[in-house]
Amino acid sequence: LYTAPDSCEGRCEEPYSREDECHCNAECERYHNCCEDYYRHCRPEGFSSSRDAITDEDLLHISEQLYKADHNKARPTDIAINPQYQASPDETGDQEDRSPQPLYKYVNEELFSKPTYASFIKLLDNYQRVTGREEDVTAEELREQDNFLKEVMKTELMKKLFAFLHKKNRYGSEQEFVADLKEMWFGLYSRSNGEPDSSGFEHVFSGEVKKGKVSGFHNWIRFYLLEKQGIVNYFSHNFNGPWDTYPDVLGLQFSWDGFYKEVGSAFIGCSPEFEFGLYTLCFIARPGRACHLSLGGYSLSIQTYTWTKSTYGNGKGYIATAYVISP
């Protein structure tokens, strides 16, 4: 009887083996390395059977708490955007610049002196954007990673996230949580040629170029800074979220140094810790699946994927990507 290596059919509660592409025992939830169909085959009743389960209701509740705790987000007077042309679904791929003006008319750069913003921005120049080129991680860059984690963990938002995950038995201490954040987000793996050329943080926040296309790149601060330098050219948007304050959500088409991004969804005006925290929550609670949240009374879904070709610790999965699903 043959079972696909990435399926849990007939493999529920199978003991952990390093050889397996993904796992089907109860521990896989904690290590976020379950096969995508784990819940269908092994937990048909969903999470609710276990005291430590993260239910759909839990996610709606904690996401609203994190939304309210984003004290470092932009105020309405801090940002003025000019979305211009809204592309239809059959126009997003045609690489045509339909918006002559930049997306950002104004950003109050005093925001960037806040500790979480300043430590986040320092991380953005640490990466080779082309996949297949090995990342050279210096001692200074490792210090910058630690400093960013230290600053975000001072915020009420990340303290709330840790308290939630601690209550759900995912982490025994804040120290364990921070060590895991460092691995899942900053740990290096190979997207091509076997070189350690990528990490979840680089892909999601800084952006990469793979096979001539922009890959990842879902961050508004990164976009603003590169647009200001003339390196990013905004083409159009295909989705503008229902929020009339920040964080807002846009689905974007743009060119980065001549490389195209067909749909790059991004939160606009949120703090770095908000995005970092929300993506972490969804990666831990719903890896490989749509993670349904509530922000200011509006529904929003985040998609995350686990990098399955290499692991850390006891078979834990790195973040491959995380982004807002724009309809």
Side-chain angles (χ1 to χ4, degrees):
L1 273 173
Y2 176 74
T3 296
D6 57 354
S7 170
C8 279
E9 193 172 355
R11 289 178 55 206
C12 298
E13 293 310 317
E14 188 178 84
Y16 171 79
S17 162
R18 290 181 69 169
E19 313 298 309
D20 292 334
E21 280 186 31
C22 54
H23 306 281
C24 305
N25 56 12
E27 283 291 280
C28 74
E29 283 177 48
R30 185 169 175 202
Y31 287 108
H32 25 271
N33 57 16
C34 302
C35 300
E36 279 192 40
D37 60 4
Y38 169 72
Y39 301 94
R40 196 166 78 241
H41 291 300
C42 306
R43 296 285 289 279
E45 74 288 2
F47 280 105
S48 53
S49 63
S50 148
R51 193 169 47 83
D52 300 332
I54 298 175
T55 64
D56 289 348
E57 290 68 35
D58 286 336
L59 287 173
L60 297 177
H61 184 65
I62 185 65
S63 53
E64 282 291 3
Q65 283 195 317
L66 300 182
Y67 183 73
K68 288 189 183 78
D70 190 12
H71 305 307
N72 286 328
K73 69 183 177 188
R75 296 173 311 239
T77 51
D78 287 331
I79 299 178
I81 58 172
N82 182 15
Q84 301 162 82
Y85 189 81
Q86 181 155 3
S88 63
D90 56 354
E91 289 175 325
T92 58
D94 63 12
Q95 306 196 24
E96 201 174 310
D97 183 357
R98 295 183 167 91
S99 301
Q101 305 299 315
L103 174 62
Y104 287 93
K105 279 201 272 201
Y106 168 75
V107 170
N108 175 7
E109 293 195 11
E110 282 179 23
L111 277 173
F112 300 161
S113 60
K114 294 185 180 205
T116 57
Y117 285 79
S119 58
F120 173 81
I121 289 167
K122 279 209 166 98
L123 293 166
L124 295 174
D125 64 0
N126 290 355
Y127 300 103
Q128 290 258 17
R129 69 178 181 188
V130 178
T131 58
R133 289 196 192 156
E134 184 174 353
E135 291 295 342
D136 176 26
V137 183
T138 65
E140 185 189 358
E141 288 173 1
L142 289 171
R143 279 196 300 276
E144 288 173 356
Q145 292 171 11
D146 288 336
N147 191 46
F148 172 70
L149 292 169
K150 185 183 87 188
E151 292 300 342
V152 296
M153 287 310 299
K154 289 178 187 172
T155 64
E156 185 194 338
L157 189 151
M158 288 298 286
K159 286 191 182 303
K160 275 190 186 303
L161 176 61
F162 167 69
F164 173 77
L165 294 170
H166 178 63
K167 191 174 134 205
K168 294 293 184 181
N169 221 8
R170 296 304 191 275
Y171 297 100
S173 67
E174 194 172 301
Q175 197 179 355
E176 186 193 341
F177 179 48
V178 173
D180 200 35
L181 285 173
K182 186 165 183 180
E183 287 290 352
M184 75 169 78
W185 278 106
F186 294 103
L188 292 174
Y189 50 81
S190 173
R191 283 190 195 257
S192 70
N193 302 341
E195 303 287 352
D197 61 358
S198 187
S199 68
F201 186 91
E202 177 188 6
H203 180 85
V204 173
F205 293 104
S206 183
E208 299 181 293
V209 171
K210 185 172 185 184
K211 295 180 180 167
K213 284 187 176 169
V214 177
S215 181
F217 197 142
H218 298 285
N219 179 256
W220 77 270
I221 299 165
R222 173 75 162 158
F223 190 102
Y224 165 74
L225 292 171
L226 291 182
E227 185 178 62
K228 187 180 163 190
Q229 292 171 43
I231 296 168
V232 156
N233 180 11
Y234 170 71
F235 281 17
S236 55
H237 68 288
N238 62 300
F239 172 71
N240 190 345
W243 295 270
D244 52 10
T245 181
Y246 298 114
D248 195 358
V249 175
L250 277 180
L252 309 169
Q253 289 67 54
F254 61 91
S255 162
W256 177 20
D257 249 358
F259 299 104
Y260 188 62
K261 181 75 177 180
E262 188 170 332
V263 179
S265 60
F267 286 106
I268 310 288
C270 66
S271 68
E273 61 267 26
F274 177 80
E275 243 178 314
F276 191 71
L278 230 51
Y279 291 152
T280 299
L281 169 68
C282 285
F283 182 65
I284 290 168
R286 299 289 186 272
R289 297 187 295 150
C291 173
H292 303 302
L293 308 177
S294 178
L295 302 181
Y298 293 105
S299 299
L300 175 108
S301 299
I302 283 171
Q303 179 71 51
T304 63
Y305 286 107
T306 308
W307 186 256
T308 56
K309 294 176 185 160
S310 54
T311 58
Y312 68 90
N314 186 15
K316 283 194 166 194
Y318 298 105
I319 291 176
T321 192
Y323 55 89
V324 179
I325 299 171
S326 59

